[in-house]
Amino acid sequence: MTRAVLVSSSSAPAVTSVDVADPGEGEALVDVSYSSVNYKDGLALAGDPGVARIDPLVPGIDVVGTVSALGPGVHDVAIGDHVVLNGAGAGETRHGGWATRAVVPSASLVVLPDSVPEDFAAAIGTAGFTAALSVLALARFVDPSDGPVLVTGSSGGVGSVAIPLLAGRGYRVTASTGRPGNAESLRALGATDVVDRGTLGERGKPMQKAVWAGAVDSVGGATLANLLASTRWGGAVTACGLAQDVQLQTTVLPFILRGVSLLGINSVDAPAALRREAWNLLAAELDPTLLASVTRTVGLSEAIALGPSIVAGQVHGRTIVDTSY
């Protein structure tokens, strides 16, 4: 048995006891120390069928802890390893990290670098992992000398990590946010400028003044279309989210007239080698003190209460879930 948050179509989310099966072929049992609160977790708490694919479900797309057992098969992790898992179906198609124990696919586990404590790994979480994937992708097309880069949804989890990673590499970062009260915090993370997201959120012309060398976008919709329309020749925009809208109404003009590249970021199904590359980047280049300034810790019951707030875009920075209480 494990103590866990359980979401069911027949009852409200609650902390309860849940059976845990032995790990099967290619699986690992992890004693979970920490998880985190993500946008998808908020949707799972609300019973969104696009996220909660099984019923009942333990949310938590992040799992941080220690491997305590391994199922049959060949594994790249060993019992006793401190590991992190981001996505890979956790909290969606299988029980996730809002529990004291979790059975997960071992191939998606990354052994934590020695310099990354478990609580820091949870603070980074899928949001920070996605930010690292975005920075790796953007760096293939955009050099810091090419001009300013924009980070949308900058008050959220992806933005809170993308900004310091980009700034640390020498990029001039502009942060887009709907919460002007967070401007000072965003500048402390490394943003040189802060703009209101309203300037990007309405449908605009298919081609606009070329402003950005690149961008990291987590909101989609009209914002992403406007970014593509206002990106300089040869620039690139990464897309990892849909907080504004799943629809993308744009034209081919930015692609054929300016050579703009749209780079999709999928953190859920990232292969093992790419997962390790992203975590090595985070270990080497992300200042823990910067992330700590926008991170708080809650217990399992408090995590449930945060669900509506994170879906509504009212949670700033990162929230760790300590599974011990």
Side-chain angles (χ1 to χ4, degrees), residues 36 116-129 131 154-165 185 188-190 279 282-283 285-297 316-320:
S36 62
V116 180
E118 289 186 350
D119 57 346
F120 182 38
I124 293 170
T126 288
F129 172 59
S154 57
S155 292
V158 173
S160 297
V161 177
I163 290 171
L165 285 179
S185 174
L189 288 174
W279 273 98
L282 290 160
E285 300 186 21
L286 183 60
D287 183 349
T289 60
L290 289 178
L291 193 56
S293 68
V294 290
T295 299
R296 60 170 167 167
T297 302
H316 177 38
R318 296 290 295 141
T319 303
I320 297 172

Side-chain angles (χ1 to χ4, degrees), residues 45-66:
L45 287 169
D48 187 308
V51 174
R53 307 290 182 86
I54 59 173
D55 184 10
L57 170 72
V58 175
I61 65 173
D62 292 324
V63 177
V64 182
T66 305

Side-chain angles (χ1 to χ4, degrees), residues 28-89:
L29 176 64
V30 177
D31 291 340
V32 184
S33 303
Y34 299 99
S35 185
S36 62
V37 181
N38 295 278
Y39 186 77
K40 279 187 176 179
D41 299 322
L43 294 176
L45 287 169
D48 187 308
V51 174
R53 307 290 182 86
I54 59 173
D55 184 10
L57 170 72
V58 175
I61 65 173
D62 292 324
V63 177
V64 182
T66 305
V67 177
S68 59
L70 293 168
V74 178
H75 305 276
D76 291 329
V77 297
I79 293 174
D81 281 346
H82 296 278
V83 294
V84 59
L85 178 137
N86 307 113

Side-chain angles (χ1 to χ4, degrees), residues 73-162:
V74 178
H75 305 276
D76 291 329
V77 297
I79 293 174
D81 281 346
H82 296 278
V83 294
V84 59
L85 178 137
N86 307 113
E92 297 184 75
T93 59
R94 63 192 304 147
H95 289 335
W98 288 16
T100 54
R101 306 175 86 192
V103 175
V104 300
S106 72
S108 297
L109 290 171
V110 174
V111 179
L112 284 174
D114 292 339
S115 61
V116 180
E118 289 186 350
D119 57 346
F120 182 38
I124 293 170
T126 288
F129 172 59
T130 304
L133 293 175
S134 300
V135 170
L136 288 171
L138 192 69
R140 299 201 307 267
F141 292 83
V142 181
D143 188 84
S145 63
D146 292 338
V149 297
L150 183 75
V151 176
T152 67
S154 57
S155 292
V158 173
S160 297
V161 177

Side-chain angles (χ1 to χ4, degrees), residues 174-204:
T174 296
S176 168
T177 182
R179 287 173 274 178
N182 292 339
E184 183 178 348
S185 174
L186 294 171
R187 288 192 171 92
L189 288 174
T192 54
D193 297 290
V194 179
V195 297
D196 190 311
R197 70 183 180 196
T199 61
L200 296 163
E202 300 296 328
R203 188 172 181 181

